[in-house]
DNA sequence: AATAAGTGCAACCGCGCCCCT
DNA sequence: TAGGGGCGCGGTTGCACTTAT
């Protein structure tokens, strides 16, 4: 049995919005807001439209400060960089481009930017490149060519992040100092080292290379941090349509709290995985640095590092369940999501 | 000038997730 | 705790407009 339709399809208008409908919707929302209920809104506003359609029209077209028109080079770079890092998470990308909507960016990417990049991509293909998440479609771009695009771009630094971008990749949460053992010699951050671009991107493209020490916004406690492995993120919008929150595995995380760092080693083969916990173990109060170990894999996942790491996480679960401190160490493992996200609360 | 092909983008759709009861 | 309703996301479609032949 399929789910019930969100509205009476027979009695709602579809297709392009008329100026009258636009003004009705705009007036109503400006006057009363969305009321947190899009389904009921059209009736209240006197519109014969599906609530979802109203929401889309508002978010993508009618809400204030929407920017239409050409994308700037800077916006191009932001989109490219974020796409390479997080894939087609348009809402997250849109959150970094004020005035742009996810739909806008998605369309722009699919119709223009992708072609633009393909046009300048070198023909020599190395190993086929595919994005790490099941959500990501395979791309004919090789890793090499993708990176070449960035190198060939006018960007003077890479990865590029706009000034207001609290990057996933460059900072830890301010409350969480970067573990000193990760800053050891031979470990470099990548944004400043152009020779490391290739390694950097390969690292970023593997979702297990993301880890996100963030505050748990559910209880606001700075001591209840979580590390998130994987890339399953979604973004929710404010009533005005601006994206203010990103959720990972169902937990909402303020963007200003987000961060991950991609560390690489100068050695070609040994940069790939950092699995670690750090900070104060709240059970016994002792420092708990580098509890997990660093692992090594090849660059293109020849050994299926994802599965490999799942085992590690599973191990951690079992050890955690045997741990007297497990009240403070909870791992959520969602295998139904193709092993995509792992959370570690500490 | 007519028509086919290509392009851009607004809108739709289905699904997964979260919240509330 | 389970189930239903609503929201939001990403993929897809449809159509108007533009360009090429």
């Amino acid at each position: 049995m399929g789910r019930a339709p969100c509205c009476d399809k027979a009695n709602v208008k579809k297709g392009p919005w008329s100026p009258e409908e636009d003004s009705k919707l705009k007036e109503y929302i400006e006057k009363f807001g969305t009321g947190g209920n899009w389904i009921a809104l059209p009736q209240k506003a006197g519109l014969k439209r599906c609530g979802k359609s109203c929401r889309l029209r508002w978010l993508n077209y009618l809400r204030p400060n929407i920017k239409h028109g050409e994308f700037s080079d800077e916006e191009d770079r932001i989109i490219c960089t974020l796409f390479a890092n997080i894939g087609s998470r348009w809402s997250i990308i849109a959150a970094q481009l004020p005035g742009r909507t996810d739909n806008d960016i998605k369309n722009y990417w699919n119709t223009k930017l992708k072609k633009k990049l393909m046009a300048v991509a070198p023909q020599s293909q190395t190993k086929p490149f595919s994005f790490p998440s099941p959500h990501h479609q395979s791309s004919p771009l090789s890793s090499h060519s993708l990176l070449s695009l960035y190198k060939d771009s006018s960007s003077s630094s890479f990865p590029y992040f706009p000034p207001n971008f609290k990057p996933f990749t460059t900072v830890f949460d301010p409350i969480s100092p970067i573990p000193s053992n990760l800053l050891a010699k031979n470990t470099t951050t990548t944004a400043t080292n152009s020779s490391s671009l290739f390694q950097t991107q390969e690292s970023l493209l593997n979702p297990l290379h993301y880890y996100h020490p963030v505050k748990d916004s559910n209880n606001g406690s700075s001591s209840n941090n979580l590390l998130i492995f994987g890339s399953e993120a979604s973004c929710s919008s404010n009533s005005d349509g601006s994206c203010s929150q990103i959720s990972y595995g169902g937990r909402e995380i303020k963007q200003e709290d987000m961060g991950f760092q991609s560390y690489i080693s100068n050695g070609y083969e040994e940069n790939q995985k950092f699995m670690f916990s750090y900070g104060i173990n709240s059970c016994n109060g002792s420092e708990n640095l580098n509890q997990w170990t660093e692992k090594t894999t090849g660059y293109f996942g020849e050994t299926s590092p994802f599965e490999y790491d799942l085992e590690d996480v599973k191990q951690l679960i079992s050890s955690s369940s045997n741990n007297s401190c497990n009240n403070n160490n909870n791992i959520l493992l969602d295998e139904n999501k193709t092993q995509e996200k792992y959370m570690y609360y500490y």
Side-chain angles (χ1 to χ4, degrees), chain A residues 136-175:
Chain A
H136 305 151
Q137 293 178 334
S138 293
S139 161
L141 279 176
S142 70
S143 305
H144 173 258
S145 55
L146 187 66
L147 286 163
S148 299
L149 304 179
Y150 293 114
K151 286 181 181 176
D152 292 344
S153 78
S154 58
S155 173
S156 57
S157 65
F158 178 87
Y160 173 81
F161 297 104
N164 64 340
F165 179 49
K166 295 292 182 61
F168 302 141
T169 53
T170 58
V171 293
F172 278 94
D173 181 272
I175 63 168

Side-chain angles (χ1 to χ4, degrees), chain A residues 101-127:
Chain A
T101 69
D102 53 356
N103 207 39
D104 231 10
I105 295 167
K106 180 174 60 182
N107 284 332
Y108 179 58
W109 172 266
N110 286 331
T111 60
K112 290 183 186 171
L113 196 52
K114 193 160 69 177
K115 290 170 189 168
K116 204 163 144 185
L117 295 178
M118 295 294 285
V120 299
Q123 292 306 305
S124 61
Q125 302 279 303
T126 58
K127 280 203 171 189

Side-chain angles (χ1 to χ4, degrees), chain A residues 166-168 171 214 246 248 253-260:
Chain A
K166 295 292 182 61
F168 302 141
V171 293
V214 293
I246 292 175
Y248 278 81
I253 297 159
K254 289 179 181 164
Q255 283 183 29
E256 55 265 34
D257 290 339
M258 295 180 64
F260 67 75

Side-chain angles (χ1 to χ4, degrees), chain A residues 30-164:
Chain A
E30 281 172 353
K31 214 168 178 178
F32 304 106
T34 66
N37 187 344
W38 284 105
I39 300 298
L41 189 145
Q43 200 178 7
K44 291 180 188 170
L47 288 161
K48 284 193 161 72
R49 288 275 181 177
C50 173
K52 291 175 100 171
S53 179
C54 292
R55 175 183 164 271
L56 210 63
R57 185 65 179 171
W58 172 255
L59 292 182
N60 288 339
Y61 198 82
L62 296 176
R63 72 181 157 100
N65 304 321
I66 286 283
K67 201 194 287 181
H68 293 290
E70 286 292 297
F71 281 71
S72 68
D73 288 346
E74 180 178 325
E75 286 174 316
D76 281 1
R77 286 200 299 275
I78 294 168
I79 294 167
C80 289
T81 301
L82 290 175
F83 187 88
N85 286 343
I86 63 175
S88 56
R89 310 297 165 90
W90 304 119
S91 58
I92 297 176
I93 295 172
Q96 302 304 324
L97 297 173
R100 300 292 188 184
T101 69
D102 53 356
N103 207 39
D104 231 10
I105 295 167
K106 180 174 60 182
N107 284 332
Y108 179 58
W109 172 266
N110 286 331
T111 60
K112 290 183 186 171
L113 196 52
K114 193 160 69 177
K115 290 170 189 168
K116 204 163 144 185
L117 295 178
M118 295 294 285
V120 299
Q123 292 306 305
S124 61
Q125 302 279 303
T126 58
K127 280 203 171 189
F129 167 79
S130 61
F131 288 101
S133 157
H135 290 300
H136 305 151
Q137 293 178 334
S138 293
S139 161
L141 279 176
S142 70
S143 305
H144 173 258
S145 55
L146 187 66
L147 286 163
S148 299
L149 304 179
Y150 293 114
K151 286 181 181 176
D152 292 344
S153 78
S154 58
S155 173
S156 57
S157 65
F158 178 87
Y160 173 81
F161 297 104
N164 64 340

Side-chain angles (χ1 to χ4, degrees), chain A residues 33 42 79 96 102 136 167 169 188 191 198 212 216 243 263 311 337:
Chain A
I79 294 167
Q96 302 304 324
D102 53 356
H136 305 151
T169 53
T188 60
F198 190 79
H212 312 261
D216 182 343
C243 180
Y263 293 94
E311 287 309 308
K337 291 285 289 180

